[in-house]
Amino acid sequence: QGGTEKIRGYVKDFKEADVPIAALWLQDWTGKRETDFGRRLQWNWEVSDKQYPGWYDLIRELAGEQIYVLSYINAYLANTGGLSGESTTLFKLATELDCLVKETDNKTVQIQASATPDFTFGTVDITNPRCQKWYIDEVIRKRMIGEKTTSFDEIHGVLGFMADFAESVSLGASFYAGEGSKVHNSFPEIWSNTCRRAINANGFTEENAVFFTRAAGGRSPGETTLMWMGDQMTTFDHFDGLRSALIGVLSAGVSGFSLAHSDVGGYTMFQRFGGLIAYLRSPELFLRWGEMNAFSDAMFRTHEGVLPDESSQAFDEDLRHPFAKLAKVHRALFPLKRELMIQAEQTGAPLARAMFLEFPDDPKAWAVNDQFLLGDSLLVCPVTEADAVSRSCYIPDGEWTHVFTGERPKSQSVFTCAAPLGKPCVLYRAAAEPYAAAVREILA
């Protein structure tokens, strides 16, 4: 985040640190808002010339280096500009088009608040086919993807986006499709369908663009292209931290979402009373999260969070090189993940698998939720506690070898697995030897 020149600086720094970059996720393309909750975005889906002068030049410049831009959108439109006076043109236009969700009187536009009372918005009524088409054609296609984007040589916009929210439908609201209580569970599906139709508008973007959602209904796996786990706290715990992200990915995997990921390092940060109460991202948490996601996730992506200046980031001088190594691990595993994606298309099996999916007859495999398999031959037991250099790992049936120590623990046993920072607890079966060797070399 941060604007045109800052992004160019990050790219330069990452290249010098040998970080492999496939894309940059620039969520603040519409401008930023400073709130009591932290630094957020202006929900008006047009380029902020103040934040990103020469936005399209930047996109084409990066595309020339085979680095593509992802951005951000949701189904909401801000009705105020915040302290920085950002634009609200789309809220005004949606009001004129009668495309905003109403109160129960079916006349007054419903205004809700996001996290803090000063950040208010209206919801686009995408249950109305006319309004959904407007949002697809005039907002997502025209203002984000670019109507002329037809090949890698003709990039005129972003090649993907976070499609945020969709879960907070007011039960008392009035939609084109009915009252909120009727629409609540289907709204995330309609939101994913809206985004899917936007990227399917031409063959190139249908094949190459991606969007990732966090809210879902029963039909969402057939609509979204990728799930992410939402806004975890910058903690290690299973309540809403690193471990909860893994539980989410594994739960998604048995709910029809074969491809999933989380923000490396988490998102939600908190600091009050002069730092007396603080939840900020430490370098250790950031790297431990990256160790997990390099194996578990379909996309390896981080987020600056709501208090970016107070928390560790991928571009910090002391983190660029270790981050580069983890990104290279993710890249080295791509051939395996591509095979698993083909399996997912055919069978629905996820990339990151809960233990019981591969070992359904093992009662102990059903009892663990803090380790996983990538396919059937890589076993990953991520460290989910601060200051740990090892952890207990359940070893299922088969012959497994520790990637770094060469130890071969007994099957169906609990193994104390060495995992100093930078060398995660990963074991493999013979079929995964080439990938184990690549991981060993990268993280040496």
Side-chain angles (χ1 to χ4, degrees):
Q1 301 185 100
T4 303
E5 291 310 312
K6 185 171 280 190
I7 295 305
R8 288 191 173 112
Y10 290 153
V11 171
K12 178 178 178 291
D13 290 342
F14 280 140
K15 285 185 174 182
E16 289 176 354
D18 201 24
V19 177
I21 310 172
L24 294 176
W25 178 54
L26 308 181
Q27 67 160 1
D28 62 337
W29 68 289
T30 62
K32 62 183 180 180
R33 288 182 66 157
E34 299 291 345
T35 74
D36 189 51
F37 182 61
R39 186 172 300 163
R40 304 187 65 191
L41 315 178
Q42 176 61 2
W43 293 354
N44 187 69
W45 314 119
E46 296 179 320
V47 178
S48 170
D49 292 329
K50 180 169 59 177
Q51 183 85 338
Y52 282 97
W55 169 251
Y56 295 103
D57 291 335
L58 176 65
I59 287 175
R60 286 187 286 270
E61 172 189 320
L62 292 168
E65 302 178 52
Q66 295 186 311
I67 300 171
Y68 303 98
V69 173
L70 310 180
S71 61
Y72 175 103
I73 192 174
N74 57 46
Y76 309 139
L77 298 172
N79 67 321
T80 65
L83 295 176
S84 56
E86 295 289 345
S87 175
T88 60
T89 53
L90 286 182
F91 178 88
K92 295 170 185 174
L93 181 54
T95 302
E96 293 170 5
L97 293 171
D98 193 25
C99 281
L100 294 173
V101 173
K102 307 293 196 306
E103 295 284 4
T104 52
D105 62 8
N106 207 28
K107 295 179 181 179
T108 309
V109 171
Q110 184 183 69
I111 300 297
Q112 295 175 274
S114 176
T116 52
D118 63 312
F119 197 151
T120 54
F121 63 91
T123 302
V124 179
D125 191 354
I126 52 176
T127 72
N128 183 330
R130 176 179 61 83
C131 298
Q132 184 189 43
K133 187 176 187 305
W134 169 72
Y135 216 54
I136 292 169
D137 295 343
E138 296 297 319
V139 180
I140 302 176
R141 291 292 307 172
K142 184 175 181 179
R143 290 168 166 81
M144 294 176 65
I145 297 173
E147 296 167 309
K148 296 181 180 180
T149 293
T150 55
S151 73
F152 285 114
D153 294 324
E154 290 291 337
I155 298 292
H156 298 279
V158 302
L159 266 187
F161 48 90
M162 175 184 282
D164 205 359
F165 292 107
E167 71 275 8
S168 55
V169 169
S170 171
L171 300 183
S174 179
F175 290 76
Y176 174 88
E179 61 184 30
S181 59
K182 175 185 175 183
V183 173
H184 183 274
N185 287 1
S186 61
F187 195 77
E189 301 168 358
I190 299 168
W191 175 226
S192 291
N193 172 263
T194 301
C195 298
R196 172 73 77 163
R197 288 174 60 187
I199 68 169
N200 285 3
N202 72 47
F204 173 74
T205 54
E206 180 178 6
E207 180 71 19
N208 295 286
V210 64
F211 65 92
F212 38 105
T213 52
R214 79 179 197 186
R219 298 179 185 274
S220 293
E223 297 288 359
T224 191
T225 61
L226 177 64
M227 284 294 289
W228 109 97
M229 297 300 106
D231 299 340
Q232 276 77 43
M233 292 281 292
T234 50
T235 62
F236 281 92
D237 62 64
H238 67 280
F239 298 107
D240 195 23
L242 185 158
R243 188 169 170 182
S244 76
L246 175 57
I247 293 170
V249 167
L250 299 182
S251 296
V254 294
S255 303
F257 299 99
S258 304
L259 309 181
H261 75 295
S262 65
D263 300 330
V264 174
Y267 164 81
T268 303
M269 301 152 181
F270 188 82
Q271 187 168 236
R272 291 289 188 275
F273 311 117
L276 183 63
I277 300 176
Y279 291 93
L280 301 173
R281 183 160 64 205
S282 68
E284 181 191 17
L285 175 68
F286 182 82
L287 293 175
R288 287 301 195 190
W289 211 307
E291 289 175 359
M292 179 178 77
N293 286 14
F295 291 88
S296 63
D297 288 7
M299 175 187 285
F300 191 71
R301 178 188 61 81
T302 185
H303 195 311
E304 288 190 18
V306 292
L307 296 175
D309 298 337
E310 290 81 21
S311 291
S312 295
Q313 305 292 350
F315 48 76
D316 290 348
E317 191 170 356
D318 61 333
L319 290 179
R320 289 175 209 159
H321 290 284
F323 181 72
K325 288 185 175 184
L326 296 173
K328 289 175 183 176
V329 168
H330 181 78
R331 182 179 63 182
L333 293 171
F334 175 71
L336 172 59
K337 291 183 180 181
R338 179 170 53 192
E339 291 177 12
L340 296 175
M341 288 177 188
I342 294 170
Q343 287 184 27
E345 184 179 28
Q346 296 170 344
T347 69
L351 274 64
R353 300 174 183 178
M355 298 293 291
F356 61 79
L357 284 180
E358 290 296 328
F359 301 95
D361 298 324
D362 184 346
K364 292 181 180 178
W366 288 81
V368 293
N369 64 7
D370 62 348
Q371 60 185 70
F372 64 93
L373 294 147
L374 179 60
D376 60 7
S377 297
L378 278 174
L379 171 61
V380 184
C381 297
V383 170
T384 58
E385 294 181 5
D387 303 320
V389 294
S390 66
R391 61 152 290 175
S392 296
C393 182
Y394 176 66
I395 307 300
D397 190 36
E399 294 184 4
W400 298 89
T401 304
H402 192 299
V403 166
F404 298 105
T405 68
E407 294 171 276
R408 295 183 175 180
K410 182 180 178 182
S411 65
Q412 296 187 314
S413 69
V414 177
F415 170 58
T416 300
C417 188
L421 189 63
K423 289 183 169 58
C425 174
V426 182
L427 299 100
Y428 66 97
R429 294 202 274 199
E433 166 60 36
Y435 297 108
V439 171
R440 192 183 305 119
E441 181 179 354
I442 292 166
L443 298 181

